[in-house]
Amino acid sequence: MTVASLPLDSDACEPWPARLSFEETYERYFDFVWLSLRRLGVAPALLDDAAQDVFVVVHRRLHEFEYRSELKTWLFAIALRTARTYRRQRQPAPVEPVEQLAAAAPTPHDALAQLEALRVIDAILAEIDEDRRVLLILVELEQIAVPEAAEVLGLKLNTAYSRLRLAREDFGAAVKRHQARDNWRHEP
Amino acid sequence: MTSELDPQARALIGLALKGEQRLPRSRERVRRGVLTALAAPAALGASEAAAASKAAGVAGGAATTGTKALISAVRRGSRSLRSSRLVLPPPWSD
């Protein structure tokens, strides 16, 4: 390793993150962006357009990103703004066709279980207040640490923890409601 | 402190995440759309782009009607190119 390639910050234990080109960023994070947009409520028919908008912004601004935070959270922030625009303009998302998922799953049982879970999660996320939903997506679905999620959302850490607690309660209660509804439906 | 997520809810999320991974998506189609959108300003011509850029910087809607029309055309053009199959060289590759 040359002196020039050493991190300037002596406290830094992590290796200095390599700058990704736009193409590398696209390859590595396309799925993440696409799924984030979907979770944030962009209609399936508009996901490609929204993902395109996100990556146009990424292309224009990637050089400004300083790697002080995770690239993933920076991309999420762009996806969040894009999703808000799309949700304002368009109708709520219908669920994906069963056949698409069923065709790709290892067994029909797996396919149905995953599809049902996805439907329930979609419905529950749509019910939850946006501020809480976004935090839930970042922390519970993307496994991003709360301090980092707070930073990307511009929240104080205590506010983020408090909001996350409420989001988890909302989510847990909604899961129970859905299960109760399903059990009632399936009772003879 | 935060409460943990309900185990049933966590199991449901795990299952849904597996399902999400199987959803079909159009990685290449979006890539072409990005390239097209990035190339659109260049296709307008330098003078038009400069006029649009200048007008866009005018605060309070002081742009002329003609310039506003040009900006609208730029926006329309950018949108309408989305479904185009035009394949352009990547602007990020030198």
Side-chain angles (χ1 to χ4, degrees):
Chain A
M1 183 183 269
T2 64
V3 173
S5 66
L6 287 169
L8 296 175
D9 182 357
S10 59
D11 294 334
C13 297
E14 294 294 314
W16 200 250
R19 290 198 82 85
L20 295 183
S21 67
F22 174 78
E23 194 160 13
E24 288 165 336
T25 306
Y26 187 89
E27 282 304 316
R28 194 173 295 186
Y29 292 104
F30 173 81
D31 285 353
F32 167 72
V33 166
W34 194 89
L35 288 172
S36 295
L37 290 165
R38 188 184 170 282
R39 292 166 183 167
L40 290 165
V42 175
L46 300 167
L47 281 170
D48 287 355
D49 277 0
Q52 175 184 316
D53 285 356
V54 170
F55 280 104
V56 167
V57 173
V58 171
H59 185 272
R60 290 183 177 143
R61 306 196 61 178
L62 187 60
H63 68 281
E64 296 170 13
F65 183 69
E66 294 177 345
Y67 289 86
R68 287 181 187 162
S69 59
E70 282 225 29
L71 184 59
K72 197 175 180 181
T73 52
W74 182 72
L75 292 169
F76 186 87
I78 299 173
L80 180 59
R81 281 194 291 274
T82 306
R84 280 181 182 148
T85 308
Y86 271 76
R87 281 204 316 271
R88 271 200 298 272
Q89 294 168 353
R90 332 276 179 155
Q91 294 300 308
V95 294
E96 277 80 2
V98 178
E99 297 77 19
Q100 288 179 329
L101 200 63
T107 69
H109 180 264
D110 286 347
L112 286 175
Q114 290 171 4
L115 177 71
E116 186 55 28
L118 202 49
R119 276 187 172 155
V120 171
I121 295 283
D122 283 349
I124 291 173
L125 287 177
E127 285 173 20
I128 296 176
D129 170 73
E130 190 195 316
D131 290 342
R132 296 179 190 177
R133 178 176 60 215
V134 170
L135 203 52
L136 202 64
I137 291 171
L138 279 170
V139 176
E140 296 294 352
L141 277 71
E142 283 304 328
Q143 302 291 306
I144 286 172
V146 180
E148 196 156 351
E151 191 181 332
V152 74
L153 298 174
L155 298 175
K156 288 181 181 167
L157 194 55
N158 283 344
T159 307
Y161 275 117
S162 158
R163 197 174 284 179
L164 180 61
R165 181 178 55 77
L166 295 171
R168 283 170 170 163
E169 286 172 7
D170 287 353
F171 192 85
V175 168
K176 285 192 171 70
R177 274 201 308 277
H178 275 266
Q179 284 173 340
R181 210 175 298 156
D182 283 352
N183 290 341
W184 178 78
R185 269 193 209 139
H186 295 128
E187 274 174 13
Chain B
M1 287 304 293
T2 54
S3 59
E4 287 299 311
L5 195 61
D6 178 89
Q8 280 185 319
R10 194 171 292 288
L12 190 68
I13 287 178
L15 207 52
L17 289 177
K18 283 184 187 160
E20 261 189 347
Q21 293 307 317
R22 300 179 197 286
L23 291 175
R25 57 204 81 166
S26 317
R27 181 182 286 260
E28 289 312 310
R29 184 169 169 267
V30 174
R31 185 199 300 272
R32 284 196 299 271
V34 173
L35 298 180
T36 306
L38 291 169
L44 279 173
S47 60
E48 287 174 322
S53 164
K54 188 178 171 186
V58 175
T64 64
T65 309
T67 313
K68 283 177 182 168
L70 176 60
I71 294 169
S72 301
V74 171
R75 289 178 180 153
R76 273 200 310 276
S78 173
R79 293 270 162 187
S80 65
L81 280 170
R82 285 179 171 207
S83 56
S84 151
R85 294 280 170 193
L86 179 64
V87 179
L88 298 164
W92 55 84
S93 65
D94 294 323

